[in-house]
Amino acid sequence: MSDQISLGGSIRFPNSDRDEYAVELGRFLDLTDGVAQPKKLFDLLSGFAFQLGCKWVAYGPLTTNNMALNPVRCDSEEILNYPDGWQERCLAMGYERIAPVIKESRMGAGPIRWSDVYSDASTTEHERRMFDDAATFGLRSGISVPLRGPKGSCAVVSFARHCERDLKNRTITYLQLAATHFHLRVAKIANSHVFQKIPALSLREKECVLWVARGKSSWDIGVIMMISENTVNFHIKNVMRKLGTSSRTVAAIKAIRLGIIEL
């Protein structure tokens, strides 16, 4: 059908893509009206982005020196749908600390094309390898949108797709509008609640999740700490429960962002 979206190539809209963009944005705004759950809002944002050709979305606090600048209150596993393999790769390689788009997001205010960062003279070869690595997991092009919200909350939304062709300016504008609306809604929800205290982890739990963050398996951690693999898994499950995550990788990322551990 002529009005279907082809995610493997260019986006095809009937006659005027401008009208179709406006319809999709209006639908997204209507659907988010009255929604008070960050996870539901993220699902709606992901659905909107998918209609514009972006299969993957990631949302998180914009940090500096691994510490969040007034982060919004939202569990990490609820705010990104990147492939699990890529999340694990980022953690193992420490990409979260050196991501060039994050560096640009701290300084800029508008959408950032990944292709522009890749070709920028100030981008190092090590940073370019991160983009090349992402492409092997299917994330071949995208943008990142720095966001500012109530009480100085700072965050960034990234939209990615497996097509190497850059997004059109008009598409980027609509994604930016949707991302801004999403961030303001999530920040408002966060500010209407008392921020949760940072969960207290035991020394063993901290040590286990630290080794997880360094890319070690439960068997490896058991050898390093001289405890059984079952005991390692017990501690990691406790960490996941305390941090409210369903993944050991996300638990490690969250522990870093909360300052519980440092790599």
Side-chain angles (χ1 to χ4, degrees):
M1 295 176 62
S2 61
D3 61 345
Q4 288 182 330
I5 295 176
S6 173
L7 291 176
S10 60
I11 302 175
R12 295 179 291 143
F13 290 120
N15 300 323
S16 173
D17 56 354
R18 178 180 303 176
D19 292 342
E20 185 70 15
Y21 289 149
V23 169
E24 293 298 336
L25 179 62
R27 183 179 295 120
F28 167 72
L29 296 177
D30 288 342
L31 290 172
T32 59
D33 186 37
V35 177
Q37 297 81 33
K39 175 64 167 64
K40 178 62 176 177
L41 289 169
F42 179 77
D43 289 343
L44 292 172
L45 178 65
S46 299
F48 172 75
F50 187 84
Q51 292 300 313
L52 272 64
C54 296
K55 184 177 180 180
W56 298 288
V57 183
Y59 170 75
L62 191 57
T63 60
T64 178
N65 295 328
N66 290 331
M67 296 300 290
L69 303 176
N70 299 318
V72 296
R73 179 173 172 265
C74 187
D75 291 337
S76 296
E77 75 275 13
E78 296 181 339
I79 58 175
L80 76 164
N81 61 8
Y82 280 1
D84 291 341
W86 174 237
Q87 293 184 49
E88 294 170 1
R89 179 69 170 169
C90 285
L91 187 60
M93 299 299 292
Y95 285 155
E96 187 180 70
R97 302 191 305 278
I98 60 97
V101 291
I102 299 300
K103 178 177 64 178
E104 293 293 327
S105 295
R106 295 188 187 114
M107 299 183 292
I112 301 164
R113 291 180 187 269
W114 294 359
S115 59
D116 290 342
V117 178
Y118 187 93
S119 60
D120 191 274
S122 65
T123 302
T124 67
E125 287 303 313
H126 181 56
E127 291 171 336
R128 289 192 180 94
R129 278 197 295 273
M130 192 185 95
F131 286 111
D132 295 334
D133 210 359
T136 66
F137 288 88
L139 291 79
R140 296 186 176 89
S141 65
I143 63 168
S144 293
V145 183
L147 300 163
R148 305 293 184 269
K151 299 184 179 180
S153 60
C154 301
V156 59
V157 172
S158 293
F159 300 97
R161 61 180 186 164
H162 57 65
C163 175
E164 294 183 358
R165 187 179 306 166
D166 275 339
L167 292 163
K168 295 180 180 179
N169 290 335
R170 185 181 298 142
T171 308
I172 292 175
T173 297
Y174 277 89
L175 288 171
Q176 181 184 16
L177 290 171
T180 300
H181 175 74
F182 166 81
H183 176 60
L184 292 175
R185 290 298 301 271
V186 172
K188 184 177 180 180
I189 293 169
N191 290 328
S192 67
H193 297 84
V194 176
F195 277 74
Q196 294 178 330
K197 294 182 179 179
I198 296 177
L201 303 187
S202 69
L203 290 177
R204 282 292 198 188
E205 290 167 351
K206 289 180 181 179
E207 191 171 359
C208 284
V209 76
L210 176 60
W211 285 115
V212 169
R214 290 175 176 172
K216 300 297 183 181
S217 67
S218 293
W219 185 87
D220 292 330
I221 298 171
V223 173
I224 294 169
M225 297 177 60
M226 294 186 290
I227 56 179
S228 71
E229 184 176 355
N230 286 337
T231 301
V232 172
N233 289 331
F234 171 78
H235 289 312
I236 293 174
K237 287 180 180 178
N238 280 340
V239 173
M240 290 165 56
R241 175 179 55 79
K242 291 180 179 180
L243 296 182
T245 71
S246 58
S247 160
R248 59 194 283 152
T249 301
V250 173
I253 294 173
K254 190 168 184 178
I256 294 171
R257 287 179 174 171
L258 291 175
I260 296 174
I261 60 173
E262 293 184 7
L263 292 178

